[in-house]
Amino acid sequence: DGGITQSPKYLFRKEGQNVTLSCEQNLNHDAMYWYRQDPGQGLRLIYYSQIVNDFQKGDIAEGYSVSREKKESFPLTVTSAQKNPTAFYLCASSMTQRTEAFFGQGTRLTVV
Amino acid sequence: GQQLNQSPQSMFIQEGEDVSMNCTSSSIFNTWLWYKQDPGEGPVLLIALYKAGELTSNGRLTAQFGITRKDSFLNISASIPSDVGIYFCAGLNAGGTSYGKLTFGQGTILTVHP
């Protein structure tokens, strides 16, 4: 089935450790996105990528890094520089940047 | 960044009632999208609107793209218990420095009492 797969669904890490969240899509979409969701807030854009080997910072990029080496993959690394990393992270993709985005199931990251 | 004002923040309704929610923005968008999110899951696209003035239906859902391109509303008719969830509006820019960025509203939490 075509779709967007995020893994793992739940992730626990110790404070000060970097952690990488996986996002894979088999929809042949050019654009991919990472959002962060906190309780009572909407989705905030962390990074987005229009095409392979290119990405731009979103509204809250500090403490995060991404790569886009393959069209189908857009991993997000939450670094130790992110002051409040516990959140629900959502990956999305769209055919182009002019079309609607479709979301994965999300990864809930808890830092202890 | 850009802001979308979505209202109401929450709604408590009886099964069978109609629901209306809306989003407004200080800037224009080329596309308006409406999503529904169940707890612990990713948002699911309900309706996409591409033209100012466009009115689109999807079953019991109806959404409109405002003429000014700065607002959109979503109506749900004859609500049922499975309509429970968080509804988000989102605006998509297709030009300028915000090209390709989806901006989300804060969400409307819908509770339906049987």
Side-chain angles (χ1 to χ4, degrees):
Chain A
D1 286 350
I4 304 166
T5 301
Q6 289 187 243
S7 61
K9 186 147 180 79
Y10 300 96
L11 191 54
F12 295 87
R13 278 295 180 267
K14 290 184 179 178
E15 196 171 339
Q17 288 183 335
N18 292 358
V19 60
T20 298
L21 282 59
S22 170
C23 180
E24 304 276 330
Q25 54 98 0
N26 60 3
L27 301 168
N28 201 32
H29 284 173
D30 284 329
M32 296 187 75
Y33 314 82
W34 275 104
Y35 290 88
R36 171 183 172 136
Q37 187 176 29
D38 295 286
Q41 298 194 39
L43 282 68
R44 293 184 290 167
L45 181 64
I46 305 172
Y47 268 97
Y48 63 109
S49 168
Q50 303 176 42
I51 198 168
V52 175
N53 292 323
D54 180 67
F55 49 84
Q56 287 81 41
K57 292 181 179 180
D59 299 318
I60 55 165
E62 186 176 349
Y64 300 98
S65 65
V66 293
S67 62
R68 187 85 187 277
E69 297 176 2
K70 298 186 295 183
K71 186 175 185 178
E72 59 270 23
S73 179
F74 191 42
L76 172 75
T77 297
V78 184
T79 74
S80 57
Q82 169 50 234
K83 293 177 183 174
N84 185 19
T86 295
F88 190 48
Y89 290 88
L90 288 158
C91 177
S93 71
S94 59
M95 187 171 297
T96 71
Q97 281 195 284
R98 291 186 164 200
T99 57
E100 62 271 22
F102 297 89
F103 285 84
Q105 295 288 74
T107 293
R108 185 166 299 281
L109 173 64
T110 303
V111 175
V112 295
Chain B
Q2 291 175 298
Q3 296 278 335
L4 286 187
N5 297 311
Q6 185 172 349
S7 64
Q9 287 189 325
S10 60
M11 301 183 74
F12 298 84
I13 62 171
Q14 291 292 126
E15 183 176 359
E17 290 182 356
D18 297 344
V19 172
S20 184
M21 57 193 80
N22 69 83
C23 270
T24 60
S25 171
S26 57
S27 45
I28 63 174
F29 290 105
N30 292 8
T31 300
W32 280 93
L33 306 171
W34 285 92
Y35 291 87
K36 181 189 178 216
Q37 184 179 30
D38 291 326
E41 303 292 332
V44 174
L45 182 66
L46 298 174
I47 291 181
L49 302 157
Y50 302 104
K51 286 175 57 176
E54 179 181 357
L55 184 71
T56 297
S57 293
N58 178 8
R60 293 179 296 107
L61 308 178
T62 302
Q64 183 157 31
F65 191 145
I67 287 289
T68 64
R69 295 166 64 191
K70 292 183 179 182
D71 62 309
S72 176
F73 73 75
L74 174 71
N75 286 343
I76 305 173
S77 63
S79 59
I80 58 179
S82 61
D83 290 333
V84 165
I86 306 176
Y87 291 80
F88 290 100
C89 62
L92 178 63
N93 297 90
T97 57
S98 297
Y99 179 67
K101 287 176 66 173
L102 258 183
T103 302
F104 281 83
Q106 301 289 73
T108 295
I109 302 171
L110 179 63
T111 303
V112 179
H113 294 289

